[in-house]
């Protein structure tokens, strides 16, 4: 082979290596809070219903995940500014759709429940909340009537466990949480609280992509993997682990 031909082949080989080096990394940056059993964050690792499903989706689609534990308000800001690729489990709203794309597939709805002290108020309907101080995790949506009620007295907390502890310590009257999360925390923490008789039907929870994410190509692959998990029963198996 001539020196020119050898140099040409070496050049092609070098370009091939360079192309491999600069190929976009298939890494998805996930943001969210510690909210068991949906997201269970321990030392930067996330398990729980939503995280286990997302890990399976990423594996089937050829992506890797990086999870950052941040409060809901911070997570939403990062999504709006394109500092993160996706969130797991947010409810859908027209406001959020301005900066997030929701996958067509969704998680089962998460009902919302009220937690009170044994000698606390008997909450059987929305009107029973009048005048009460309601502890909630800041940045989360719960149900339309509550979210839009400007007269409601809200005690904004950094996380759901703090909301429950404030009720237990008589620093607020009632805590509002996703039912499965509230029940999980009560069992794990041994708090002397009880669930009110009125439970609000939940809305579907989604995987949401930042509209500023550079990984938009992942959306159809993840949706196809989600449908495949529904069809082969692996989604139901993950849900069953946390009942």
């Amino acid at each position: 082979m001539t020196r020119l031909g050898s140099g040409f082949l070496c050049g092609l080989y070098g370009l091939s290596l360079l192309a491999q080096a600069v190929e976009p990394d298939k890494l998805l940056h996930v943001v969210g809070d510690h909210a068991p059993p949906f997201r269970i964050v321990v030392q930067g690792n996330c398990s729980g219903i939503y995280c286990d499903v997302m890990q399976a989706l990423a594996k089937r689609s050829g992506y890797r995940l990086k999870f950052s534990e941040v409060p809901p308000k911070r997570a939403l800001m990062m999504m709006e500014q394109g500092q993160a690729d996706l969130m797991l489990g947010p409810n859908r709203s027209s406001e959020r759709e301005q900066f997030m794309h929701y996958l067509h597939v969704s998680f089962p709805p998460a009902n919302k429940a009220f937690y009170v002290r044994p000698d606390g108020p008997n909450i059987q309907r929305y009107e029973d909340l009048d005048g009460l101080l309601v502890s909630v995790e800041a940045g989360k949506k719960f149900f339309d009537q509550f979210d839009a009620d400007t007269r409601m007295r809200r005690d904004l907390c950094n996380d759901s466990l703090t909301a429950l502890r404030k009720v237990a310590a008589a620093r607020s009257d009632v805590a509002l949480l996703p039912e499965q999360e509230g029940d999980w925390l009560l069992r794990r923490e041994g708090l002397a609280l009880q669930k009110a008789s009125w439970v609000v039907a939940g809305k579907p929870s989604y995987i949401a992509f930042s509209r500023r994410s550079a990984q938009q190509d992942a959306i159809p692959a993840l949706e196809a993997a989600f449908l495949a998990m529904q069809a082969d029963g692996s989604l139901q198996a993950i849900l069953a682990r946390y009942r």
Side-chain angles (χ1 to χ4, degrees), residues 14-36:
L15 287 174
S16 174
L17 290 178
L18 180 62
Q20 292 177 26
V22 300
E23 182 181 355
D25 192 10
K26 299 185 76 172
L27 177 69
L28 298 174
H29 185 194
V30 186
V31 289
D33 63 330
H34 175 70

Side-chain angles (χ1 to χ4, degrees), residues 1-217:
M1 180 181 293
T2 66
R3 183 174 300 177
L4 179 60
S6 176
F8 178 71
L9 289 177
C10 287
L12 285 179
Y13 180 69
L15 287 174
S16 174
L17 290 178
L18 180 62
Q20 292 177 26
V22 300
E23 182 181 355
D25 192 10
K26 299 185 76 172
L27 177 69
L28 298 174
H29 185 194
V30 186
V31 289
D33 63 330
H34 175 70
F38 304 107
R39 296 176 298 274
I40 304 172
V41 186
V42 179
Q43 297 180 344
N45 296 314
C46 188
S47 60
I49 296 171
Y50 296 164
C51 289
D52 287 1
V53 171
M54 189 65 225
Q55 292 283 3
L57 294 176
K59 184 176 181 180
R60 291 180 182 224
S61 306
Y63 284 86
R64 295 184 300 111
L65 301 177
K66 170 189 173 183
F67 190 89
S68 295
E69 181 186 4
V70 296
K73 289 183 69 174
R74 172 67 178 165
L76 289 167
M77 186 189 74
M78 293 176 72
M79 294 288 285
E80 187 169 9
Q81 296 179 353
Q83 297 174 357
D85 297 306
L86 55 86
M87 286 182 68
L88 306 178
N91 289 150
R92 196 170 195 158
S93 72
S94 56
E95 175 189 0
R96 292 175 175 179
E97 283 187 299
Q98 298 300 311
F99 59 90
M100 294 198 298
H101 169 84
Y102 289 81
L103 269 64
H104 293 124
V105 290
S106 63
F107 297 109
N111 294 340
K112 306 302 187 291
F114 298 90
Y115 296 86
V116 297
R117 295 181 298 279
D119 61 348
N122 182 20
I123 301 171
Q124 298 180 314
R125 56 180 184 164
Y126 189 80
E127 289 71 23
D128 292 334
L129 297 171
D130 287 350
L132 300 182
L133 180 60
V134 184
S135 290
V136 295
E137 184 174 356
K140 285 191 174 179
K141 292 188 177 295
F142 296 93
F143 57 96
D144 292 344
Q145 188 176 11
F146 180 86
D147 297 335
D149 191 342
T150 57
R151 299 179 303 164
M152 183 64 62
R153 297 176 61 216
R154 293 176 178 81
D155 170 43
L156 302 180
C157 304
N158 290 332
D159 53 66
S160 295
L161 180 56
T162 298
L164 291 170
R165 285 174 171 167
K166 282 192 172 185
V167 177
R171 294 168 58 191
S172 68
D173 300 304
V174 56
L176 172 59
L177 280 76
E179 183 179 22
Q180 200 168 354
E181 181 180 358
D183 292 353
W184 177 284
L185 289 172
L186 256 60
R187 290 195 301 268
R188 291 300 178 96
E189 300 295 326
L191 295 172
L193 299 176
Q194 62 187 31
K195 184 165 53 179
S197 58
W198 185 46
V199 174
V200 182
K203 295 181 178 180
S205 299
Y206 292 86
I207 296 175
F209 253 82
S210 168
R211 293 193 181 275
R212 290 192 170 187
S213 169
Q215 302 280 17
Q216 301 295 317
D217 289 347

